Amino acid sequence: MVSMSEALGDRPVTNVGTALQGTVPGLVITGDAIPGKSKTFNIRGTTSINGGGPLILVDNVPADIDLINPEDIESVSVLKDAASAAIYGSRAAAGVILVTTKRAKNKEFHLSYNGEYGINTPTAKPKFANAVQWMSGLNELAFNDGASSLHSLYSEDVINNYAQLRAEDPDRYADTDFMDLGLKSSTHHQRHSLSLSGGTEKLKTNFSLNYYNSEALIQTKDYERFNIRTNNDYQINNWIHANVDLNLLYSNANEPHGSIF
């Protein structure tokens, strides 16, 4: 068993898979690093021809780990040994990931807020030839391959007057910078988290509200998510104890269709 109670910490991540990536020996996490995209967990390698991932339990209930906000998690434990099969049966053939969410403590009031705002910019972008450079390059290529003239494909008049031709007929004489058209110069992302917990010996409640919004550098691509979670502990009498947990998630992802470049 590998306990990951400190793996999450205050790391600015959008999902648990990103927080655990590279922190647990033998745990391989694959998938896009895009907010809202699910990741694939692999602990013991491929256990069948159909693949199959580990059993994921959130507060002892099978659940999708991508539905949990990282700031709501108290600890994460990864069971990799064969002994886990004795507890969870055949479902643990590919390992077990145990997620425990935060709960209120007796007679302790806690109020916290975390906020984050960031600006994203591309560090480097490839440079592409424009229409005139492209035509000149093709002419030179054809000439080096044996063409009789340096302007066998595109005439010198077209190349020298391409700017004027484009101004007169932009549909026929195109010169579009698709990199500049498809990418933004900068974007932003923000995350806000509010948590409130407290209670008595009879009733303890932990409530959290999380909001995340991110714009991608690609045009018409963004992601927004709301998380509301409440964990309630009821002590009915000395021998009856009940837990009532509620997790609500709303997410919206806008993505371009087809290929941009």
Side-chain angles (χ1 to χ4, degrees), residues 53-142:
L55 174 65
I56 299 177
L57 299 176
V58 178
D59 291 334
N60 296 319
V61 177
D64 186 353
I65 199 171
D66 293 313
L67 302 181
I68 307 300
N69 188 281
E71 297 190 28
D72 291 336
I73 293 179
E74 180 71 26
S75 65
V76 178
S77 299
V78 180
L79 308 181
K80 301 190 293 181
D81 54 359
S84 59
I87 303 175
Y88 300 100
S90 60
R91 296 181 301 170
V96 183
I97 298 179
L98 302 176
V99 180
T100 302
T101 58
K102 296 178 181 178
R103 313 195 76 85
K105 298 180 180 180
N106 185 24
K107 296 181 180 180
E108 290 187 12
F109 177 79
H110 179 75
L111 174 65
S112 68
Y113 166 79
N114 291 322
E116 174 190 343
Y117 181 86
I119 298 176
N120 310 314
T121 59
T123 56
K125 294 191 296 183
K127 296 181 179 180
F128 296 97
N130 57 33
V132 173
Q133 293 170 332
W134 181 75
M135 290 186 295
S136 300
L138 287 182
N139 278 343
E140 185 175 351
L141 176 64

Side-chain angles (χ1 to χ4, degrees), residues 3-16 18-21 23 69-76 100 102 112 114 116 191 193 210:
S3 179
M4 299 305 300
S5 58
E6 298 180 358
L8 300 177
D10 297 326
R11 299 174 64 181
V13 295
T14 58
N15 55 57
V16 183
T18 303
L20 294 179
Q21 202 157 23
T23 59
N69 188 281
E71 297 190 28
D72 291 336
I73 293 179
E74 180 71 26
S75 65
V76 178
T100 302
K102 296 178 181 178
S112 68
N114 291 322
E116 174 190 343
R191 179 173 57 177
S193 177
N210 301 278

Side-chain angles (χ1 to χ4, degrees), residues 24-43:
V24 181
L27 176 61
V28 179
I29 303 175
T30 57
D32 296 330
I34 301 176
K37 293 292 185 180
S38 299
K39 295 184 180 298
T40 300
F41 297 83
N42 197 309
I43 296 177

